Amino acid sequence: LWEGSGYITIRCNADCNPPCDRYQIYHNDTLKDTSKEIKITKTLENSGHYYCSASNSGGQDYAQSKNVINITIKCK
């Protein structure tokens, strides 16, 4: 991807029973947000790997996704 206008949507999907209602999205192993979906701008700082974890209020611990997304944003 090239640096510039616009954004990238990252969405966390998980199966929980009862349904998931708590989410965490990580960027380079640092917590980025506690929502199911984030939009990031196409800037160099947002390059890196992203993954999420999810849980439910029923006491289930956060389970980390095994899927890691690597995003590389390049200068124009």
Side-chain angles (χ1 to χ4, degrees):
L1 298 170
W2 293 100
E3 186 176 36
S5 62
Y7 57 86
I8 301 162
T9 300
I10 297 173
R11 183 175 299 123
C12 182
N13 290 312
D15 292 324
C16 300
N17 187 10
C20 301
D21 58 5
R22 298 183 299 172
Y23 297 90
Q24 296 176 325
I25 297 177
Y26 292 85
H27 173 227
N28 295 330
D29 299 320
T30 301
L31 182 62
K32 175 95 172 163
D33 205 292
T34 56
S35 61
K36 184 175 184 172
E37 178 179 296
I38 61 171
K39 293 180 180 180
I40 59 169
T41 56
K42 294 191 283 184
T43 60
L44 295 177
E45 303 86 53
N46 286 328
S47 285
H49 62 274
Y50 291 82
Y51 62 90
C52 75
S53 59
S55 72
N56 60 35
S57 330
Q60 182 180 30
D61 289 335
Y62 281 96
Q64 180 179 325
S65 168
K66 292 185 171 96
N67 298 322
V68 175
I69 299 169
N70 290 301
I71 296 174
T72 303
I73 300 169
K74 303 174 185 175
C75 275
K76 283 188 172 185

